[in-house]
Amino acid sequence: MLAVLWFSCLLGTLRFRLTQSYVNVQFVLYSFCLLMIGISGFVWLAGGHHAANSFALHASSLSGWGQWTFFSTVVLALLGIEVPMNMGAEIKSERSIKRYLFWGCLVVIVAYLWATWSNMVVVPVAQNNATYGIVQTVQIAISHTFGSVVGFILVLIFVSDTVVYNYSFARLMFVSGLERRMPHQFGQVNRNKVPANAVLAQTVIASVATAIIYFPIQSATSSYATKVYLVLLAAVTVVWCTSMVLLFADVFFVRRSFPEKFKEAQRTPWALLAVCGVLGIVADAAAVVLLFFSPWAPIFTKAGWDLAVGTITVVSIAVGLVIFLVSERGRGARLGRVASPAETGLS
């Protein structure tokens, strides 16, 4: 984990074009894997096999709110579609934003349906591993060796994800440094014109968290690592959905506070924007609430799941609020010092 983190740090401090080329290669490999996963379902059926699972909708599947906790996992899978917008200052064309949002969302939705369908066709649900079930799909339908190659490529994707998240979210810390909400060093770039200090700071924080969480020695049969993995994913879902509520609500806030600028930048009819804003707020809020109705895995008790996810969520949000309040106070003081010469007539 530490090696992956610091590899992402290294790439995040190099020229952005070089880093993006690496991510593009990974995207091509990932697309190949998705293609093979989907084809595996057709290969399985063409070989005379029946679908491993029923696709029929049963009333029992809809009974009880606990069944709907899967909605939170679906939202988690789709979260992050807005992350490249953190790179707004480095996007050259407005058309590229539109193309990305349209085709990016469409490709993600199709890819998940394509891979999930094939997985359900090939692997019986009782044998399906929640972590590497899609690798099992290729191993069973085509060959174990080829499926292992696909699995290896998919593991590399986690490295690429870490690289992307590191350099993307470093831009937010960079802006906070520029606005003096965080130490001004975060608002500086290196000779490659990237916010290396912000990337480094994020990596150090992540490394400390990794050491605290994973360094304790566990037995080979312990489910500790799996529990931590799922709890952190769930907490990320809650925190991220909470922040996404603000993004969707901003449609209404910005229109009210800056009506002229909003109208100048508007490219979509207001009625459609309003509907999307409301649906986004409701969907994100539902994902947060439904997540607590049932654990994501039977290795948790309901009380233990709620306590673990709730604690991490509350601590994360509290830290964020403290940073914001401290930055507001510090920024106000710094602005006051800048304004003082004018107030004394020295300007």
Side-chain angles (χ1 to χ4, degrees):
M1 288 183 178
L2 291 175
V4 170
L5 286 173
W6 286 96
F7 177 72
S8 74
C9 179
L10 173 63
L11 287 186
T13 57
L14 300 178
R15 282 192 309 112
F16 179 66
R17 182 67 264 171
L18 177 64
T19 305
Q20 190 59 46
S21 297
Y22 164 79
V23 174
N24 290 344
V25 171
Q26 291 290 335
F27 171 77
V28 173
L29 294 174
Y30 199 24
S31 299
F32 169 76
C33 291
L34 287 172
L35 185 64
M36 290 300 101
I37 292 167
I39 289 176
S40 296
F42 292 101
V43 171
W44 181 256
L45 295 176
H49 303 94
H50 295 290
N53 301 286
S54 172
F55 284 79
L57 180 64
H58 300 285
S60 59
S61 302
L62 305 177
S63 61
W65 283 105
Q67 299 287 342
W68 286 89
T69 190
F70 78 91
F71 178 76
S72 301
T73 65
V74 173
V75 171
L76 172 62
L78 298 176
L79 283 174
I81 199 72
E82 87 294 345
V83 168
M85 297 299 102
N86 294 349
M87 316 291 291
E90 294 158 272
I91 297 175
K92 297 180 179 179
S93 170
E94 183 180 322
R95 287 186 58 196
S96 64
I97 298 176
K98 294 179 180 179
R99 288 198 303 268
Y100 160 73
L101 288 175
F102 177 79
W103 291 108
C105 291
L106 184 62
V107 167
V108 167
I109 292 172
V110 171
Y112 270 110
L113 292 175
W114 169 265
T116 302
W117 172 83
S118 184
N119 179 245
M120 290 181 64
V121 166
V122 177
V123 187
V125 67
Q127 302 174 21
N128 189 61
N129 185 282
T131 304
Y132 54 85
I134 52 176
V135 176
Q136 291 177 289
T137 304
V138 184
Q139 290 176 331
I140 294 173
I142 299 180
S143 81
H144 191 279
T145 300
F146 187 70
S148 298
V149 172
V150 169
F152 177 74
I153 296 175
L154 292 178
V155 168
L156 292 180
I157 301 305
F158 283 93
V159 179
S160 303
D161 286 349
T162 308
V163 172
V164 171
Y165 283 126
N166 205 343
Y167 74 59
S168 294
F169 283 103
R171 268 59 180 179
L172 300 183
M173 188 177 286
F174 171 71
V175 172
S176 297
L178 288 178
E179 295 183 346
R180 298 297 194 270
R181 293 185 177 276
M182 299 190 77
H184 68 88
Q185 289 85 355
F186 293 153
Q188 298 173 350
V189 296
N190 63 4
R191 62 182 182 180
N192 294 319
K193 305 300 181 184
V194 295
N197 291 340
V199 173
L200 181 61
Q202 287 185 156
T203 307
V204 170
I205 294 171
S207 297
V208 171
T210 299
I212 294 173
I213 294 172
Y214 289 107
F215 275 13
I217 299 175
Q218 302 295 319
S219 66
T221 58
S222 173
S223 60
Y224 172 79
T226 303
K227 286 183 176 180
V228 170
Y229 173 71
L230 292 176
V231 166
L232 288 178
L233 281 183
V236 164
T237 303
V238 176
V239 175
W240 210 334
C241 283
T242 303
S243 67
M244 288 295 288
V245 166
L246 298 177
L247 288 181
F248 283 109
D250 277 344
V251 172
F252 305 98
F253 295 147
V254 173
R255 184 171 185 259
R256 184 184 64 181
S257 302
F258 309 99
E260 294 182 0
K261 292 184 178 180
F262 182 89
K263 189 173 182 180
E264 180 183 344
Q266 184 178 345
R267 299 292 185 271
T268 306
W270 167 244
L272 179 59
L273 279 175
V275 170
C276 290
V278 172
L279 287 177
I281 292 172
V282 172
D284 283 320
V288 172
V289 174
L290 292 173
L291 185 145
F292 289 96
F293 274 79
S294 178
W296 282 358
I299 57 178
F300 294 96
T301 63
K302 175 71 165 58
W305 173 259
D306 291 347
L307 178 62
V309 177
T311 300
I312 294 178
T313 300
V314 170
V315 170
S316 299
I317 294 177
V319 170
L321 289 175
V322 169
I323 292 175
F324 171 74
L325 294 174
V326 171
S327 69
E328 277 285 279
R329 183 175 180 180
R331 185 168 181 261
R334 284 188 290 270
L335 291 176
R337 288 197 298 270
V338 171
S340 59
E343 294 172 357
T344 57
L346 296 177
S347 60

